């Protein structure tokens, strides 16, 4: 018998679950402010759903098996393919644009490290059926405001934004083959974690010319609106009458974020390409300002995925934000709310004859929405009140024979350090007024 959780999986003790609940509640609250509706899908999907999108090489990262119906299945490693399948199934009946979010638990068999486990929960937000910079800005703003909702500020994190469509245009006008384009994107994606000589070697092995290699490194240095405009103007000199790079929509996205008052969070960074092959336009990642952790969030535009999976042509933009790295960041910044298990009322009985009244009062108070606990075993009143302190109870209600004869109980306010006699008939209203519950 195994005495501990599997590697890469977590036990959620009450204090851990309280943090998880805090994150989830913030995710739901902010997504709701943006008009997003919550959905979910099955944790087990057909293996084909993932290999069709990412190739057979993804199987090494999955928890997959053949089920009793002889079907090849996998625990979901991401939510986007399930979303694309679900949207395609009801595309004609859904009002566009679709604003959906989910908080799935995801599973990947990969090496553990700080901020990455083999399971995690993730906020997925997707805006479907709307192309263009307004939708891109909306989804990026939602990602930013989600972190702001957890107490993080401009000093704590930045959103780094690139654009795959712009990169693809430069690759096109410089004569990259599809294989060279793929190699260039892979090199750019890993550039910060790879020695320069290794990157040069990979580009050379892919057959890039000196000019093409120089372009790759020039693109990576695009870190501002000004540098993008300069590079786009330079591209205008290419022959054959080809149009300038499609920078206008990207710049409109930046303008929209500025208008929202979020421009201070934004950094242009064409070194952000995201590894997934299905991105077709803007891509972005949110990082802690010190860059000591993995990306907190990543996303972008993926206009072809719903069509590839479900045969329905719908533009899409979205992001995923994991709870593991986010929890690490909140700990580093001292933003985890203190966990203090608490109840509203602790009931204490002096003698066995007081137990029937205690049980009736407990039920009446609970029916009124009040959190109530009492000792399940016999014991002195002092011992019972120590348990009330341990539970951080706001009030202690003591029931004894003398007060019972008068139709009263003693209500101790454990915060104000006061005690009053309250008629049994008034107890529920009295407690509700003290703990702040409304009728």
């Amino acid at each position: 018998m195994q005495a501990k959780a599997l590697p890469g999986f977590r036990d959620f003790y009450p204090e851990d679950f309280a943090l998880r609940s805090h994150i989830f509640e913030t995710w739901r609250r902010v997504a709701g402010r943006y008009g997003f509706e919550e959905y979910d899908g099955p944790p087990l999907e057909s293996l084909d759903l993932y290999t069709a999108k990412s190739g057979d090489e993804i199987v090494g990262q999955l928890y997959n098996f053949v089920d009793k119906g002889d079907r090849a299945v996998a625990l979901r490693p991401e939510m986007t393919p399930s979303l694309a399948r679900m949207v395609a199934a009801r595309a004609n009946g859904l009002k566009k644009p679709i604003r959906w979010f989910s908080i799935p638990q995801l599973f990947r068999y990969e090496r553990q490290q700080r901020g990455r486990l083999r399971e995690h929960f993730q906020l997925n937000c997707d805006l479907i059926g709307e192309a263009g910079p307004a939708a891109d800005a909306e989804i990026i703003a939602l990602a930013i405001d989600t972190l702001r909702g957890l107490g993080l500020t401009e000093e704590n994190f930045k959103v780094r934004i690139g654009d795959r469509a712009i990169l693809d245009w430069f690759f096109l006008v410089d004569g990259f083959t599809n294989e060279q384009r793929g190699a260039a994107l892979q090199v750019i994606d890993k550039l910060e974690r790879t020695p320069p000589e290794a990157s040069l070697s990979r580009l050379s092995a892919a057959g890039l010319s000196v000019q093409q290699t120089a372009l790759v490194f020039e693109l990576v240095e695009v870190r501002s609106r000004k540098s993008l405009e300069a590079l786009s103007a330079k591209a205008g000199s290419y022959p054959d009458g080809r149009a300038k790079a499609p920078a206008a929509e990207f710049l409109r996205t930046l303008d929209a974020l500025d208008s929202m008052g979020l421009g201070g969070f934004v950094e242009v960074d064409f070194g952000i390409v995201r590894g997934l092959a299905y991105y077709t336009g803007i891509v972005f990642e949110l990082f802690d300002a010190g860059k000591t952790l993995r990306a907190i969030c990543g996303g972008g535009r993926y206009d072809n995925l719903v069509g590839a999976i479900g045969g329905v042509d719908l533009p899409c933009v979205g992001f995923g934000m994991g709870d593991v790295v986010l929890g690490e960041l909140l700990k580093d910044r001292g933003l985890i709310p203190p966990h203090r298990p608490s109840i509203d009322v602790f009931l204490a009985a002096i003698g066995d004859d007081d137990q029937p009244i205690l049980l009736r009062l407990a039920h009446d108070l609970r029916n009124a929405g009040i959190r109530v606990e009492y000792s399940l075993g016999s014991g002195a009143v002092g011992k019972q009140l120590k348990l009330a302190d341990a539970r951080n109870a706001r009030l202690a209600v003591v029931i004894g024979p003398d007060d019972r004869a008068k139709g009263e109980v003693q209500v101790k306010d454990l915060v104000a350090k006061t005690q009053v006699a309250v008629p049994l008939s008034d107890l529920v209203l009295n407690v509700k007024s003290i703990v702040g519950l409304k009728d």
Side-chain angles (χ1 to χ4, degrees):
M1 179 177 177
Q2 188 136 353
K4 58 183 180 180
L6 290 168
F9 289 76
R10 294 171 288 178
D11 294 316
F12 288 93
Y13 291 92
E15 60 273 19
D16 304 314
F17 196 87
L19 172 59
R20 189 177 105 179
S21 296
H22 171 63
I23 292 172
F24 285 14
E25 287 164 6
T26 302
W27 283 350
R28 287 190 169 102
R29 183 176 67 252
V30 179
R33 291 207 308 252
Y34 275 71
F36 279 64
E37 297 181 286
E38 188 167 7
Y39 75 98
D40 200 0
L44 194 68
E45 291 272 21
S46 167
L47 181 62
D48 291 344
L49 190 65
Y50 306 112
T51 57
K53 181 183 74 67
S54 303
D56 291 338
E57 60 270 16
I58 196 176
V59 175
Q61 302 174 25
L62 303 183
Y63 283 90
N64 65 292
F65 57 94
V66 176
D67 72 4
K68 293 180 180 179
D70 203 30
R71 292 173 288 259
V73 296
L75 289 173
R76 61 188 177 196
E78 58 173 314
M79 196 64 184
T80 308
S82 296
L83 169 70
R85 175 181 60 74
M86 291 171 64
V87 167
R90 296 191 178 181
N92 291 335
L94 296 171
K95 182 68 176 176
K96 316 300 186 301
I98 301 162
R99 293 172 180 252
W100 281 5
F101 81 94
S102 64
I103 305 177
Q105 188 173 21
L106 305 176
F107 306 88
R108 280 185 182 259
Y109 194 88
E110 53 189 2
R111 185 171 63 87
Q112 303 170 65
Q113 53 186 288
R114 189 184 184 209
R116 172 183 281 182
L117 300 175
R118 289 175 176 169
E119 59 79 21
H120 71 282
F121 291 90
Q122 182 169 291
L123 171 65
N124 278 79
C125 295
D126 295 270
L127 204 161
I128 304 166
E130 187 71 46
D136 295 343
E138 180 83 341
I139 208 76
I140 294 169
L142 172 53
I144 293 171
D145 280 345
T146 299
L147 294 193
R148 291 179 64 223
L150 288 161
L152 294 161
T153 68
E154 220 176 286
E155 287 70 42
N156 302 137
F157 74 95
K158 299 293 181 183
V159 52
R160 298 161 66 186
I161 306 177
D163 194 305
R164 289 274 282 266
I166 294 175
L167 293 180
D168 283 344
W169 187 91
F170 279 105
F171 295 152
L172 172 66
V173 297
D174 229 30
F176 283 58
T177 65
N178 285 335
E179 292 75 17
Q180 289 172 335
R181 170 189 173 277
L185 289 173
Q186 289 179 16
V187 166
I188 293 172
D189 190 41
K190 296 178 172 60
L191 204 57
E192 290 185 347
R193 308 182 298 277
T194 306
E197 57 274 14
S199 298
L200 285 168
S201 177
R202 290 194 64 180
L203 293 173
S204 177
L208 271 72
S209 67
V210 172
Q211 178 181 321
Q212 289 172 327
T213 300
L215 174 64
V216 170
F217 286 96
E218 194 172 7
L219 288 167
V220 170
E221 293 304 315
V222 172
R223 299 295 175 92
S224 67
R225 175 193 295 263
K226 184 177 179 180
S227 59
L228 175 59
E229 290 172 339
L231 193 59
S232 298
K234 176 182 173 182
S237 64
Y238 282 102
D240 303 331
R242 285 176 282 199
K244 291 185 178 181
E249 290 201 347
F250 180 83
L251 297 175
R252 284 169 59 196
T253 300
L254 301 185
D255 290 340
L257 291 167
D258 282 339
S259 297
M260 294 176 191
L262 300 176
F265 291 93
V266 173
E267 294 180 352
V268 174
D269 188 343
F270 274 62
I272 298 296
V273 297
R274 306 282 294 151
L276 296 171
Y278 59 69
Y279 286 115
T280 59
I282 204 162
V283 284
F284 60 92
E285 293 182 349
L286 277 65
F287 286 88
D288 70 291
K291 298 183 182 179
T292 60
L293 297 165
R294 296 172 50 80
I296 308 161
C297 168
R301 178 160 289 282
Y302 57 100
D303 286 343
N304 301 326
L305 187 62
V306 176
I309 289 176
V312 180
D313 186 20
L314 283 172
C316 308
V317 61
F319 69 80
M321 179 183 294
D323 72 316
V324 178
V325 67
L326 183 53
E328 294 286 348
L329 180 58
L330 294 177
K331 289 175 188 176
D332 288 350
R333 296 293 182 268
L335 292 172
I336 295 179
H339 173 64
R340 296 192 67 207
S342 63
I343 56 173
D344 297 317
V345 177
F346 191 94
L347 299 177
I350 290 178
D352 291 343
D353 291 342
D354 302 309
Q355 282 293 324
I357 298 293
L358 179 149
L359 294 173
R360 192 192 80 194
L361 289 176
H363 202 68
D364 288 346
L365 290 165
R366 286 169 173 167
N367 281 343
I370 297 164
R371 297 171 297 171
V372 176
E373 187 177 348
Y374 54 86
S375 176
L376 299 176
S378 59
V381 171
K383 183 178 180 181
Q384 295 178 62
L385 294 179
K386 284 184 178 178
L387 182 55
D389 285 336
R391 295 289 194 262
N392 294 307
R394 172 65 194 278
L395 302 174
V397 175
V398 181
I399 305 153
D402 294 340
D403 290 308
R404 181 160 42 86
K406 299 176 187 177
E408 297 177 341
V409 292
Q410 295 294 319
V411 176
K412 296 176 177 284
D413 190 320
L414 301 179
V415 175
K417 307 298 183 185
T418 60
Q419 177 174 326
V420 294
V422 175
L424 283 169
S425 59
D426 295 340
L427 181 63
V428 171
L429 287 176
N430 180 272
V431 169
K432 287 178 74 172
S433 68
I434 294 173
V435 302
L437 281 180
K438 297 179 181 180
D439 292 327

